[in-house]
Amino acid sequence: MDISVTLSQHLKEKPQDESQLGFGHYFTDHMFLMNYEEGKGWFNPRIVPYGNFEMDPASMVLHYGQAIFEGTKCYRRADGELQLFRPEQNLARMTRSAQRMCMPALDEVTALEGLKKLVEIEKDWVPHQDGTSLYIRPTMISMDVHLGVHASRTYLFFIILSPVGSYYKDGLKPVGIYVEDEYVRAVRGGTGFTKCAGNYAASILAGDIAEKKGYSQVLWLDGVEQKYVEEVGSMNMMFVYGDTIVTPALNGSILPGITRNSILTLASQLGYKTEEKKLAIADIFEDIKTGKCTEAFGCGTACVISPVGELCWKDEKLTICNGQIGPVSQKLYDTLVGIQYGRLEDKNQWTMRV
Ligand SMILES: *Cc1c(COP(=O)(O)O)cnc(C)c1O
């Protein structure tokens, strides 16, 4: 499909100080849109000036929440060239999310073309400082104007872009994590494996309580017995046992992270062993106390790796790796970030030039 382009006549002023970008505060001059109608499929892919949507208050997404999103990034290499990291994986995952939410499969070919074209138009918005990037947010929402719980027949897919700062201004910093034993994020048979907006709405309360207790994220346990580790905040969770990297097996309630998959692949290539299995929080606590479990970290697109320095579960507090960054976490971080910014060879052909 041909993507039409309407350029903005009023370009915004870009934030001057890249060290103050933060996350999700600024948006670029243009966005990509594409519509869907039952019987017609996806149509009218277009790049237009960034701006408000006009929506009927009875639009179905506002009531029943058929809304899914993705998150990926564009990185500036040292030679000034721009590259994406496995964006086709995000679009494929959006189609899997869509199936669960009774939404149409994405036209992944046109969406990827639109994503690349949009980034190309906004190339000057990709920040330069070490660790910064252009965050890419593809989203799909239901648009039928109708009250009644059933699938919408019309949808809007859009992509917006936001320049974001370095997650770590002073190097990798271990965080304190609160093991949530009241609220749950997802259950098998539910929507845990999708990036649907409702999952995040349901997670905010626990995150808020944890923050008030002085922790930066929640570690989610399984939704049935609340015994097994699932995820941490909106990241996948990994534990290091000497030279083995252990992570919860994908079970339907865990989001299959692209960072998770990339780290497992890189870990094997670097000579570590990897295991995906059911992980009881009680065993993890025991293994940290006896020194068998040596490091722990969350992983996702936003931060790449977020080392865990402290865990609190039912008022028992444990320090991991003396509250420091462990060598395995650091090695995996340096390797993945090196590939994303083009400093290290990309043997897996994960990066895509814009
Ligand atoms: C997005 C997300 C992740 C990480 O996925 P990446 O593809 O690595 O960014 C992990 N868990 C949840 C709940 C998420 O929403």
Side-chain angles (χ1 to χ4, degrees), residues 82-241:
L82 304 179
Q83 63 188 22
L84 303 164
F85 184 76
R86 308 185 80 183
E88 74 293 343
Q89 296 291 323
N90 291 89
L91 300 175
R93 185 168 66 191
M94 179 166 259
T95 287
R96 293 199 302 273
S97 294
Q99 279 159 351
R100 176 63 182 82
M101 304 294 287
C102 210
M103 299 167 85
L106 187 62
D107 174 347
E108 292 166 34
V109 173
T110 307
L112 183 57
E113 213 178 302
L115 188 159
K116 285 163 80 174
K117 201 161 181 162
L118 180 64
V119 170
E120 209 179 305
I121 288 171
E122 305 288 51
K123 59 181 185 299
D124 293 343
W125 280 92
V126 184
H128 302 72
Q129 266 179 25
D130 198 31
T132 62
S133 58
L134 186 66
Y135 185 77
I136 303 168
R137 168 54 60 87
T139 308
M140 193 198 299
I141 55 175
S142 58
M143 294 298 280
D144 274 12
V145 175
H146 183 73
L147 297 184
V149 182
H150 60 76
S152 176
R153 285 157 305 138
T154 55
Y155 294 87
L156 176 68
F157 171 77
F158 59 90
I159 305 174
I160 53 175
L161 307 176
S162 174
V164 298
S166 173
Y167 206 86
Y168 301 106
K169 289 203 181 77
D170 319 300
L172 284 179
K173 196 171 160 287
V175 295
I177 298 292
Y178 184 76
V179 181
E180 178 57 54
D181 63 354
E182 181 176 0
Y183 301 106
V184 299
R185 193 192 80 90
V187 290
R188 259 145 280 160
T191 56
F193 68 95
T194 74
K195 265 182 129 67
C196 75
N199 286 349
Y200 303 85
S203 77
I204 290 171
L205 178 59
D208 202 63
I209 294 169
E211 256 173 55
K212 289 192 176 114
K213 289 182 175 162
Y215 295 91
S216 75
Q217 299 273 5
V218 164
L219 189 142
W220 298 104
L221 299 177
D222 73 281
V224 180
E225 297 174 86
Q226 293 190 262
K227 278 187 183 167
Y228 301 97
V229 175
E230 297 240 310
E231 302 207 46
V232 55
S234 47
M235 294 179 283
N236 292 113
M237 188 69 212
M238 299 206 174
F239 299 94
V240 180
Y241 282 70

